[in-house]
């Protein structure tokens, strides 16, 4: 079954998405997501200039061979641009294979392991009162697990908090906006936030928090200890993870569960973290870590070491990725949780999905494939708009991790 056409669709229904559509000689099509937030066009070029010419004429059924061809064959391995491009091809080919088999993707992966994927939503507020109101709202909507982020009293803009009345969306049109950071203020304030949330909502909700790579291992250990009384589901990205050994220090000093990996591209980014059991949840995604094919490798290694999945699911992952991930979550034995940051309604004009939110879970339908389709004519109504993630500075102006 030859691949006869492959094209990249760039659109901005609410935010930018890069989608790959592969067509085969018998008319079956598959979709993959290649969105790399703030660096979208680099992946478009990688695909259009270097990958797609090699795909035409290949057998769409040979997913593994194509993965190896694009990974080993490029000579230049790994990296977010390469791996997002490989993922888009891989997911589109899994979509095609599942459609040809007449099965939803989770069936092809090994079948259902659970009814639905437990998801967590994003409650945030500029003030503690706003954050508490947001938690109440997520609870009322049926979320069982809630991530809580709160502004810092003396800092104007921090990660994870909406600035206006609209939903939180970090990428902004135009050049990169700037946010501010103060580690001492943060370390003092966050435990108070969770004390308040537990006092108000009791032990029922599963609570999560994203540190967003801003602390040193020692500072993260302090925060982990201070949060222990509030029994978090996880503390995410406590420190940048290029130095995997850095997690030893955090791990030895706190029982607060640790999650990391939304920016990882391959199993090599988390091999030591997993093998030494330095983390509890691996957040690598189908989109940025090489598709369904490579996420299986990561999840299998994680499973050997009692690490569970907790895939990234922010709005910069398109509905195509979320669709594929819900199938993966429905099957993978060592599933932990799935992030769910809802796309704006306008995104739904371009992408149609076969997954739904039900009682705190994402449940996939039974359409063959991953169940997400794109309306290309509608997509053309929303052309690409340059947008960047923020950069972060300490209060004295020093550039910091965002
Ligand atoms: C995040 C994201 O969802 C998360 O956990 O860390 O908000 C992240 O900042 C964006 O996906 C960046 O593209
Ligand atoms: Mg995160």
């Amino acid at each position: 079954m030859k691949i006869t056409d492959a094209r990249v669709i760039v659109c901005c229904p609410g935010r930018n998405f890069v989608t790959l559509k592969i067509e085969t000689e018998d008319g079956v099509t598959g979709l993959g997501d290649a969105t790399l937030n703030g660096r979208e066009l680099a992946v478009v070029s990688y695909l259009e200039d270097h990958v797609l010419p090699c795909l035409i004429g290949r057998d769409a059924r040979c997913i593994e061979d194509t993965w190896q061809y694009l990974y080993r064959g490029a000579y230049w391995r790994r990296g977010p641009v390469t791996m997002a491009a490989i993922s888009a091809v891989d997911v589109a080919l899994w979509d095609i294979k599942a459609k040809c088999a007449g099965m939803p993707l989770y069936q092809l992966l090994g079948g259902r392991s659970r009814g639905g994927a437990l998801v967590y939503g994003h409650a945030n507020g500029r003030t503690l009162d706003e954050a508490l109101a947001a938690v109440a709202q997520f609870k009322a909507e049926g979320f069982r697990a809630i991530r809580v982020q709160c502004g810092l009293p003396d800092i104007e803009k921090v990660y994870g908090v909406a600035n206006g009345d609209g939903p939180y969306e970090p990428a902004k049109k135009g050049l990169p906006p700037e946010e501010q950071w103060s580690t001492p203020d943060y370390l003092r304030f966050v435990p108070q936030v969770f004390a308040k949330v537990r006092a108000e909502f009791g032990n029922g909700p599963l609570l999560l928090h994203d540190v967003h790579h801003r602390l040193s291992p020692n500072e993260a250990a302090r925060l982990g200890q201070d949060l222990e009384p509030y029994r978090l589901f996880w503390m995410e990205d406590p420190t940048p993870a290029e130095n995997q050994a850095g997690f030893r220090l955090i791990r030895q000093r706190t029982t607060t569960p640790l999650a990391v990996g939304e920016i990882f591209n391959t199993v090599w980014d988390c091999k030591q973290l997993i093998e030494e059991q330095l983390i509890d949840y691996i957040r690598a995604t189908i989109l940025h870590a090489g598709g369904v094919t490579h996420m299986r490798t990561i999840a299998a290694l994680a499973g050997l070491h009692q690490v569970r999945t907790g895939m990234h699911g922010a709005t910069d992952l398109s509905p195509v990725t979320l669709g594929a991930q819900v199938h993966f979550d429905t099957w993978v034995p060592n599933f932990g949780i799935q992030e769910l940051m809802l796309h704006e309604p306008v995104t739904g004009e371009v992408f149609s999905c076969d997954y739904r939110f039900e009682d705190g879970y994402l449940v996939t339908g039974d359409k063959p494939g991953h169940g997400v389709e794109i309306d290309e004519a509608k997509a053309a109504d929303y052309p690409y708009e340059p947008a960047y993630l923020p950069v972060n500075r300490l209060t004295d102006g020093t550039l910091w991790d965002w």
Side-chain angles (χ1 to χ4, degrees):
M1 190 174 54
K2 283 199 177 120
I3 296 174
T4 48
D5 188 37
R7 59 185 176 278
V8 180
I9 304 149
V10 182
C11 61
C12 188
R15 57 155 305 105
N16 289 314
F17 295 114
V18 177
T19 308
L20 174 67
K21 187 165 193 173
I22 295 183
E23 283 184 18
T24 58
E25 56 187 341
D26 50 7
V28 181
T29 63
L31 281 193
D33 176 19
T35 309
L36 187 60
N37 203 358
R39 296 292 185 272
E40 294 87 357
L41 300 185
V43 192
V44 175
S45 160
Y46 192 99
L47 281 167
E48 288 182 341
D49 297 331
H50 305 293
V51 172
L52 302 192
C54 308
L55 281 185
I56 307 302
R58 290 182 67 84
D59 187 339
R61 294 169 299 186
C62 299
I63 300 177
E64 188 66 51
D65 185 66
T66 298
W67 196 95
Q68 300 292 336
Y69 181 89
L70 294 175
Y71 183 81
R72 297 178 192 228
Y75 185 60
W76 309 105
R77 296 177 184 218
R78 308 165 64 186
V81 176
T82 299
M83 298 311 287
I86 292 180
S87 162
V89 174
D90 185 79
V91 170
L93 294 182
W94 276 100
D95 192 25
I96 289 170
K97 190 178 276 295
K99 283 177 179 168
C100 290
M103 290 180 188
L105 179 58
Y106 73 83
Q107 288 293 7
L108 207 57
L109 290 169
R112 186 177 285 286
S113 300
R114 54 194 59 79
L118 175 70
V119 291
Y120 69 92
H122 281 206
N124 67 79
R126 282 167 296 188
T127 61
L128 188 43
D129 282 345
E130 274 184 23
L132 292 170
V135 174
Q137 193 187 326
F138 275 91
K139 268 200 75 189
E141 287 169 13
F143 281 85
R144 295 157 188 270
I146 303 169
R147 173 182 116 148
V148 186
Q149 306 293 135
C150 187
L152 297 176
D154 297 320
I155 304 280
E156 207 193 324
K157 287 185 206 148
V158 295
Y159 166 77
V161 178
N163 286 315
D165 287 334
Y168 171 66
E169 175 60 63
K172 294 277 177 284
K173 306 274 156 72
L175 294 175
E178 300 216 347
E179 293 183 352
Q180 296 85 34
W181 187 247
S182 160
T183 295
D185 288 5
Y186 173 76
L187 288 178
R188 264 195 306 273
F189 192 61
V190 175
Q192 297 172 34
V193 171
F194 281 90
K196 215 44 208 279
V197 173
R198 279 291 179 226
E200 200 134 314
F201 300 97
N203 291 328
L206 302 170
L207 298 178
L208 302 86
H209 180 69
D210 192 347
V211 180
H212 223 258
H213 332 262
R214 282 150 196 222
L215 300 179
S216 70
N218 187 45
E219 290 159 350
R222 162 90 277 152
L223 181 62
Q225 286 176 5
D226 289 349
L227 291 175
E228 279 171 19
Y230 314 114
R231 299 289 173 108
L232 262 57
F233 185 91
W234 79 33
M235 174 168 82
E236 175 181 337
D237 290 345
T239 195
E242 286 99 321
N243 176 15
Q244 298 180 40
F247 276 70
R248 287 183 186 143
L249 196 148
I250 310 172
R251 189 62 160 177
Q252 282 154 11
R253 290 164 59 195
T254 179
T255 53
T256 294
L258 302 175
V260 72
E262 66 183 38
I263 65 169
F264 291 177
N265 310 131
T266 72
V267 71
W268 301 100
D269 293 331
C270 45
K271 185 171 175 289
Q272 184 180 9
L273 289 169
I274 291 172
E275 287 177 345
E276 290 187 27
Q277 295 187 292
L278 302 179
I279 55 172
D280 300 277
Y281 297 93
I282 180 67
R283 282 178 49 68
T285 61
I286 279 178
L287 164 54
H288 297 119
V292 170
T293 297
H294 196 64
M295 260 318 290
R296 287 203 302 191
T297 302
I298 294 175
L301 179 70
L304 297 181
H305 300 279
Q306 289 162 300
V307 174
R308 298 196 283 157
T309 64
M311 287 198 269
H312 191 201
T315 43
D316 47 323
L317 291 84
S318 94
V320 174
T321 291
L322 202 56
Q325 290 193 162
V326 179
H327 283 269
F328 196 92
D329 295 336
T330 301
W331 153 74
V332 71
N334 49 322
F335 171 75
I337 202 165
Q338 170 66 55
E339 180 179 14
L340 174 63
M341 194 177 160
L342 285 171
H343 291 109
E344 286 184 38
V346 63
T347 305
E349 289 180 20
V350 173
F351 295 95
S352 62
C353 317
D354 192 32
Y355 54 82
R356 59 190 189 279
F357 178 82
E358 237 174 60
D359 203 21
Y361 296 86
L362 268 188
V363 181
T364 178
D366 271 323
K367 278 196 184 144
H370 56 48
V372 184
E373 295 295 343
I374 190 167
D375 180 335
E376 289 184 67
K378 267 271 155 44
D381 293 342
Y382 299 99
Y384 172 75
E385 295 184 44
Y388 283 97
L389 289 169
V391 296
N392 199 27
R393 289 188 188 276
L394 301 183
T395 45
D396 71 356
T398 307
L399 197 95
W400 201 244
D401 301 301
W402 178 72

